[in-house]
Each structure stands twice: as structure tokens, then as C-alpha cells.
Amino acid sequence: MARMVAFGDLVEEDNRLIEVLDDREYACGGVRLHGKGVFVREYKRGTELKKKFVQHTVRAGDIVYSTLFAKSGAFAVADESVDGIVLSEKFPTFVLKSGEVSLDYLRWLFRSGQLNRIAEDQMTGIAAFSLAHLSKKKFLLLKVPVPSLERQAEVVRLCEASAAETARCVAPLRQNLSMLDGLIGNAAAKVFTDMPTEKMSAVGGYVLRGVQIEQGAKYTQITVAMRHRGLRLRRICDGSEIKSPGQSSVMDGDILFSRIDIRQGAIGFVGKDLEGGVVTRDFPVFRLHYQDEVTRSFMRYVFMTPGFMTQAQEASRGTTGRKKMKRPAFLEFDIPWTGQSCRAAAVKTLAQIEQQSSTLVKRYKQQEILAKALGLSVVATLFAEDAGLI
């Protein structure tokens, strides 16, 4: 077991308060859970920042934690990528004042997941030292293992070796997952190769079910996920909260897409669970002439094909890459189209491929989780030994 030393003997507070200017933009940061570092959360102008007098900057090498999420491992050593970002008073900032411990050792300690166990092991009477809502006073009293510098260097080396081995194991799994992500679309394109084509305008048309929004009434707002992940509930809200004009309702079987993000696969079918929901003008509602399950499944595979996605990207092309696609452009999209029996045969083949693909995706994700867990267990064990927990 290593010697246990209070943070107050290792670090000192160094909140570099700044004068917030209304006309300047600031990179506002936070601390990720489980020791995963400081990050830029959002950009705000000075006029948007609350509590201007407590904003302070971060420098590479600072030790930062979240008073609200310390129990979830929101501790970090800031790196060069976040040098100069702004934090609120909820993220106290410290610098090392002692040469007894290295920043690399602390960085891996924060990632080890052992701080909660270490805190719980430090008890006064019957009251456990908790990381919940961790004040600066309590943080400075928290004792952490400080072994010899030689042991620290060994622990850091072993942690880095474990991380490198984890990355080596995870890399091919992620490569396989990436390949499977595009498998269904490419398989569909292969199945559709010899089919004749039609324009979207030939298989359906736009529908507009205008909705008069009333204050006091409740409405279900719908949005479309990118990468062909379907539709989802955005929120249930009062009519007074809906500001955009031209709201339209949707029905089961409607096709809904985002004029901005169709190029990213934001298109899908409305299900019974979302029937009656409302959307803005940026989400056109299209309905097929054929409303059977086979045709719906067939079109879902069509939307995944590289050919359909290329047309969506071309129709959305703009100087910023986020040009809103004009409604008539969608009607001109070419799609594979054939008789009902051929559509059914294509759907059956693609459903089998999709099922097998889903099984592989689940297996690779489980293997990725296991590889990461094994890597983290090495780190956790090293720091548990140093803290005398095992």
C-alpha cells in the first residue's frame, strides 16, 4: 500500500478569473465522466453567459473536477486541446504544488474508477466521505495514494500498455462494425440492379394536413434521426411553445424526411406510435400509393442504397453543405420499382441479410465492451493495490 496524502498537500487552487466581454465569443467547457477529460461543451457570446464574475480559464496541466458529478468520476487533467477554454464556478481548478506526484499518475487515477472506493474507505465515525456534491474543502481533504515516483512511472507504463492493447483489440471490431453499417444499403443496391426505375412522383405524392396550433392544447412533435435510424419523439409540449408556422400532422405509413439532413439519411416511415404528431415545413410529408408492409419494407431498403443517398446529397448541395433540399427535387429521385411479387422477393432476401448482419453487430459490440472492460480492470487493479483496497 502506498502512502495516502490529502489533495490539499499536493495541489492549490488557481481559478484564473476573467472579465467577460459582451461582444466576445467564449469556448465554454465541462468535465467528462469517468476521468475522460475536459471538453468544449458549447460556444457562447459574453451576453449569454450567466454569473460572469465566476468564469475562469483553464490551462494545460490543470486539475479540474465537477462539484456536481464528482461521484461519477468527473475529474480530469486538462490537456493542450482545451487550453484557454472557460469554466464556471462548478468546475474548481487546481495546479500541482508538490513534486511527490506526477500529472500522468493522477490522470490514470481519475480514469481508474477507484476514487469512490477510496473516498468511502475514509470514514469519520459512521459518516462516509462521499463524493456527492464535492465542495472544494472536501476535495482538499480527500486522500489519494502517492507511491514512490518509480512506482508511479511503472503504473503509468502499465496503464498505457493496457490502453494500447485495448485499442489494438478494438480496432478490427470497429472496422467490422463500419463495414456492416453500409452492408444493407450495398446489398440492396445489388438486389435492385436489374430492376426498372421510376420517379418518386410516380409512386406517391406529398400530403399536407394543416394543423391550427392552439394555446393550452398538447402536441406531439416528431423529428427524424440521421443514418436511417427512423423517426422519434422530439417532445410533447403546449401549443404556446410551438413558434414555427405551417405545422402539419402525420399518419401511420407516411414518409417523413428532413430537408436539411436527408443527405445524412434522415428519412423514414411514421409508425402507429407517432400517428397524430406534428412537424414543421422543414419535414415534408410524403405518402405512397401502396400502403402494404411489403412496399414499406422495400422502400426502407431503397432509402439505404448508395444510389438514393447520392441523389439526396446532390439535391442538397450548397456552399455550406447544409442547403435545404427543395421539395420538387425529391419527386425527381429515381428509385428501383417493380411488381409486388418481385418486391416481396427482394424484401425477403434483404431481411435475411439484415438479420444476420444484426447478429454480427451485436456480437462485435459485445466483444468491444468486453475488451474495454478488461483494459479498465487492469487500471482499476493497479490503483486499488496502491490505495490498499486489495
Side-chain angles (χ1 to χ4, degrees), residues 191-192 195 298 301 338 341-351:
V191 171
F192 299 154
M195 288 186 184
F298 180 84
Y301 290 126
T338 186
S341 60
C342 290
R343 294 202 297 271
V347 167
K348 182 178 180 180
T349 299
L350 291 170

Side-chain angles (χ1 to χ4, degrees), residues 14-31:
D14 192 9
N15 284 345
R16 307 173 192 88
L17 296 176
I18 63 169
E19 178 185 1
V20 176
L21 303 177
D22 287 348
D23 61 347
R24 181 179 169 185
E25 186 176 66
Y26 296 88
C28 304
V31 179

